[in-house]
Amino acid sequence: MTSSHPSHASHASHRLSRRGLLAAAGVAGVTGAAGLLGAAPASAAPAPSAASSTGRGSAALVVHNASVFTGTGGRTPVEAVAVGRDGRILATGTNAAVRRHVGRDTEVVDARGNTVMSGIHDGHVHPLGAGERSLSPSLEGAETTPAELREILTGFLAETGGAGAEPDRWLVVEDWNPVGLLPVGTLAHHSILDALATRRPIALVGGDGHNLWANQRALDIAGITAATPDPVGGKVVKGADGQPTGVLKDDAQGLVRRHIPEPTRADLVAACAKVLELAAASGVTTMMDALVGRHELELYQALSAAGKLPQRIVPAIRLEAEQTRDPAGSLAYARGLRREFEGVRGLRFGMIKVFLDGVIEYPAQTAALLKPYLDGNGRPTGNRGELYTSAADYGRLTAAFNQAGWQMHAHGLGDRAVRTALDGYAYAGRVTGRRDTRNAVAHLQLVDPADLRRFAQLGVAACMQLQWAAKDTWTMEALLPYIGPERHRWMYPARSLEKAGARLSGGSDWPVDALQVWNQLRTAIDRQGAFGAGPLHRELEGLSRDTVLRMHTSGTAWQLRQEGLTGTVEPGRAADLVVLDRDVRRCPVADISGTGVRMTLVGGRVVHDADSASGRAASARVAGAASAGPRPASYAAVHAGGRHHACKH
């Protein structure tokens, strides 16, 4: 396909030349995809072996006429890939060389000159949170006046039961924009919600996951008063009169959330299965779920048992702030969850998640900075943000988990939080003597240049969400006046980290941000993406295409300790592959955003086929999401520690 725009018509054409290749190979007939669909499920794919890389038997699937991005750095062009019946890559090479693996029942796919590559590895994502959010009405990050907001909420009240739901059924609304009240500067207060003609408790959940806005009825149910103290890692926002405003930040959200009835398990499983289909249709084959507890593990268990877990999942067990001060107890807690759920097909344990700070954008300003925030007029304030765990505590925690073979994944957004993580990792390395620990810091919105080389020195993965690296409200109006141009230049310093030898890995942070995989990759290159108002320090921090492709495949596979299994296209690796509708290495950079995924395989098993009825539906949902616009405006509070309570727990 040569067009720069995805087309459903093109999806139907990708197998039309199947007989041509078979005839050239001297094969009389062909069957459908039954042989491929019967391959071992992704979670059961065996580890690569030397013997598997030399086999010359009949393949389950051959993709030819492709521009294959192998990710291995080889200079010889690769045109075709053969997938063995064991779910591993049997052979790569020229069309002629791979043709020998075509048998009578081999499925043959014509890539039409477009890219075939490793599936996308999402190194920081909350897929079950996306599923849960989909069960509630959404404000979609809208900017509104209080009157407009009440009009929208009146409609949601009617749609969720109307008079029959009075007075006790909760109205929970997702993707509220904490800085979206107009005129600019209007503050959220429960009185705005109390003016609605209802007695129902109402909770508006920030699209960032870090903020929640409740009406007075909800505050009363939760018992929140002027005397309510701030919980560890959270804040009950109070007005000048000392009374709660209705806004709860970070871990304070739990004061209200615990009173909201849970959806049924069946509804949750169905919703999560649907969003996992969406991820497969976007080309995602591995996900590191960056916030997991018992609730999420039970959902994964149910999805796996129902055969609705298409990706490989690395769950990161989240530790609360108080747990970080008890390394032995935390290790026992994580080991207990692993023992209970390690038999779930598709899951692989070994990751721990800790929040070190919050969000950098005004008005939240809870990201931990080395130097104070500015007041918007260039004058320093007394605020350096919030550091939820000290370097000493994080170092001791890391040492305990690294010694036991676990990896650490830190939310570090401000430069002080990043340094805290690196200091903790350095301490753990000295204490344990372990080197190849592959601990990570995620987000890295602001990194002090003095810390760039420490990533390579300590073997720390730099896990970045570069769809955010564009000029927009969040990186300019809500940030530049409050940190100044000198620090602003170090926003999302991807190329600087690469030059300093850091291992880059990629993630989406979905549903904090929209799942727009290919726009995410494009933005890492041009630092503008489909929705940015302009490039964000592109000349300093933009990455090359090959770097971006490796970052989101082999780079993240390295972070997750599965580079021996996935992340590159070479014999012996698991056949976690995507067939795209364009050549993403040669098309105009801007056209990468609109990339369509024609087929996704995990362990040799088709988990998305754009020709199928379900695949067409999933592809349509991906296209709809890609045209929906930029990340929710609520990103202004995106990172404040509880943001990753996107899954409501």
Side-chain angles (χ1 to χ4, degrees):
M1 179 175 179
T2 57
S3 168
S4 63
H5 300 285
S7 165
H8 289 302
S10 71
H11 293 153
S13 67
H14 77 284
R15 295 184 186 161
L16 294 182
S17 65
R18 186 171 10 178
R19 290 187 181 277
L21 181 64
L22 290 168
V27 178
V30 63
T31 67
L36 181 60
L37 293 173
S43 58
S49 66
S52 69
S53 66
T54 58
R56 294 184 56 184
S58 172
L61 171 73
V62 166
V63 184
H64 70 124
N65 292 338
S67 173
V68 179
F69 177 72
T70 65
T72 62
R75 296 182 178 274
T76 303
V78 176
E79 302 172 312
V81 180
V83 176
R85 301 178 189 278
D86 60 356
R88 292 176 289 180
I89 295 171
L90 184 62
T92 63
T94 64
N95 288 328
V98 175
R99 188 174 296 148
R100 73 188 70 176
H101 297 286
V102 176
R104 292 184 177 275
D105 62 348
T106 300
E107 176 77 359
V108 180
V109 175
D110 182 1
R112 300 175 62 83
N114 298 319
T115 297
V116 172
M117 58 181 283
S118 162
I120 297 296
H121 292 50
D122 195 324
H124 188 106
V125 63
H126 312 279
L128 303 188
E132 294 198 41
R133 284 191 183 193
S134 70
L135 293 173
S136 300
S138 172
L139 286 167
E140 298 179 349
E143 295 183 346
T144 66
T145 65
E148 290 168 340
L149 176 63
R150 283 193 293 265
E151 182 178 358
I152 295 170
L153 295 178
T154 297
F156 289 162
L157 286 164
E159 293 168 7
T160 57
E166 295 288 345
D168 295 326
R169 180 174 172 184
W170 282 78
L171 174 65
V172 179
V173 180
E174 298 288 349
D175 300 317
W176 160 56
N177 180 354
V179 295
L181 282 176
L182 301 175
V184 174
T186 303
L187 297 178
H189 193 275
H190 64 77
S191 59
I192 296 173
L193 304 180
D194 296 342
L196 289 162
T198 182
R199 285 272 299 136
R200 293 169 61 179
I202 298 173
L204 306 188
V205 181
D208 49 18
H210 285 240
N211 290 268
L212 183 147
W213 179 14
N215 68 351
Q216 185 63 54
R217 177 76 194 290
L219 294 176
D220 291 343
I221 290 173
I224 297 173
T225 68
T228 302
D230 292 335
V232 175
K235 184 176 183 61
V236 178
V237 179
K238 296 173 183 175
D241 59 358
Q243 296 297 318
T245 65
V247 176
L248 306 172
K249 292 183 176 293
D250 304 330
D251 288 350
Q253 296 176 81
L255 300 176
V256 164
R257 286 186 183 274
R258 67 172 62 110
H259 296 280
I260 299 173
E262 297 284 350
T264 68
R265 175 57 56 86
D267 286 344
L268 279 175
V269 170
C272 292
K274 191 171 182 179
V275 300
L276 292 176
E277 287 180 1
L278 182 69
S282 301
V284 179
T285 56
T286 288
M287 291 190 281
M288 199 283 281
D289 188 326
L291 189 140
V292 169
R294 174 175 297 280
H295 170 77
E296 289 74 30
L297 292 172
E298 288 174 347
L299 275 178
Y300 279 125
Q301 186 176 49
L303 286 161
S304 181
K308 296 180 178 179
L309 188 55
Q311 288 87 11
R312 303 177 192 273
I313 304 293
V314 177
I317 296 173
R318 190 260 172 102
L319 298 181
E320 303 289 344
E322 58 270 21
Q323 289 177 289
T324 63
R325 294 187 285 275
D326 180 12
S330 295
L331 182 58
Y333 165 72
R335 282 172 163 168
L337 288 177
R338 180 174 62 183
R339 280 195 301 271
E340 187 173 351
F341 293 98
E342 64 185 347
V344 176
R345 287 170 63 87
L347 300 188
R348 183 175 58 78
F349 286 86
M351 193 75 67
I352 296 297
K353 167 69 177 293
V354 173
F355 286 96
L356 295 184
D357 71 342
V359 193
I360 196 170
E361 290 84 5
Y362 178 85
Q365 295 184 332
T366 51
L369 303 186
L370 293 169
K371 297 178 181 178
Y373 289 91
L374 306 180
D375 63 1
N377 295 305
R379 294 185 295 270
T381 69
N383 178 29
R384 290 202 300 149
E386 300 179 23
L387 193 63
Y388 302 141
T389 300
S390 70
D393 283 342
Y394 192 62
R396 286 188 288 268
L397 185 77
T398 297
F401 274 100
N402 285 173
Q403 187 65 45
W406 294 69
Q407 298 168 260
M408 301 298 294
H409 189 90
H411 167 116
L413 197 143
D415 51 11
R416 184 160 60 112
V418 174
R419 182 166 293 177
T420 296
L422 295 173
D423 287 349
Y425 294 151
Y427 170 84
R430 291 193 300 270
V431 169
T432 66
R434 290 178 176 259
R435 294 292 176 261
D436 190 25
T437 52
R438 306 192 194 184
N439 299 312
V441 186
H443 309 316
L444 302 169
Q445 188 165 357
L446 194 63
V447 180
D448 189 273
D451 288 322
L452 295 172
R453 292 191 179 278
R454 299 183 70 197
F455 283 82
Q457 292 166 355
L458 297 171
V460 173
C463 181
M464 307 189 80
Q465 291 62 54
L466 292 178
Q467 188 163 234
W468 303 336
K471 281 187 178 179
D472 55 24
T473 299
W474 306 274
T475 57
M476 302 305 294
E477 291 89 341
L479 188 55
L480 179 57
Y482 303 101
I483 64 171
E486 183 179 349
R487 282 186 289 183
H488 194 269
R489 172 262 172 273
W490 294 102
M491 289 279 292
Y492 304 113
R495 191 194 300 177
S496 294
L497 281 163
E498 181 189 29
K499 286 182 177 179
R503 294 261 198 168
L504 300 182
S505 67
S508 67
D509 212 3
W510 180 46
V512 172
D513 201 0
L515 185 68
Q516 298 175 351
V517 168
W518 301 97
N519 185 59
Q520 174 183 319
L521 272 67
R522 175 253 179 109
T523 309
I525 299 167
D526 70 5
R527 306 278 291 197
Q528 179 170 344
F531 308 107
L536 182 71
H537 307 308
R538 175 171 58 201
E539 70 284 359
L540 297 171
E541 300 299 346
L543 299 172
S544 71
R545 292 198 210 204
D546 279 11
T547 292
V548 170
L549 292 174
R550 288 194 301 270
M551 174 182 181
H552 290 84
T553 53
S554 58
T556 306
W558 180 87
Q559 172 195 326
L560 302 180
R561 289 194 180 280
Q562 64 179 54
E563 76 277 13
L565 181 65
T566 66
T568 55
V569 182
E570 54 185 319
R573 295 293 188 266
D576 289 21
L577 303 170
V578 290
V579 181
L580 306 180
D581 69 352
R582 66 200 67 192
D583 188 343
V584 294
R585 298 177 73 191
R586 293 179 176 83
C587 70
V589 170
D591 289 353
I592 296 174
S593 292
T595 299
V597 178
R598 291 160 54 179
M599 182 177 284
T600 305
L601 295 91
V602 178
R605 181 169 61 99
V606 174
V607 297
H608 168 71
D609 183 347
D611 281 350
S612 68
S614 62
R616 284 192 294 273
S619 294
R621 285 169 30 227
V622 171
S627 63
R631 62 190 176 189
S634 53
Y635 177 72
V638 150
H639 282 288
R643 141 181 140 181
H644 297 282
H645 282 130
C647 53
K648 299 191 175 71
H649 296 275

